[in-house]
Amino acid sequence: TIVMKIALIQSSLLWENPADNRNHFEQKINVLTEKVDLIVLPEMFSTGFTMDPRAVAESMQGETVLWLQSLAKAKNTAITGSLVIKENNNFYNRLVFVFPSGEIQFYDK
């Protein structure tokens, strides 16, 4: 039997404030007492559902994606959640899945 341990983290978000939301979720992740295989963050976890994506959009090399990669490696776990990504002058609600190695797969919603 293979067992996968998943942590679902649902929390209030700070509107259009990626830095504070990253800090908030990192605190919640740091208090997990068991090793988990996957951490699932809410949709649009870094900003909430904004109607002004220009104000908060990041690139795939932006602070939030780098934070996800760093945290996945440090915790040796996969992490997934969606955020606003700007690519080729388009905005996406992009679900990113970060493997413990830092490799990323993504899906544009």
Side-chain angles (χ1 to χ4, degrees), residues 43-60:
E43 186 170 16
M44 305 289 281
F45 72 90
S46 64
T47 60
F49 283 92
T50 179
M51 298 308 292
D52 185 14
R54 285 172 179 80
V56 294
E58 299 185 40
S59 73
M60 288 298 286

Side-chain angles (χ1 to χ4, degrees), residues 20-58:
D20 284 350
N21 284 316
R22 286 191 301 268
N23 288 334
H24 177 73
F25 282 110
E26 189 162 350
Q27 288 174 6
K28 291 195 170 294
I29 290 167
N30 283 336
V31 298
L32 294 174
T33 57
E34 293 184 44
K35 165 75 171 97
V36 297
D37 302 301
L38 173 63
I39 298 169
V40 180
L41 299 176
E43 186 170 16
M44 305 289 281
F45 72 90
S46 64
T47 60
F49 283 92
T50 179
M51 298 308 292
D52 185 14
R54 285 172 179 80
V56 294
E58 299 185 40

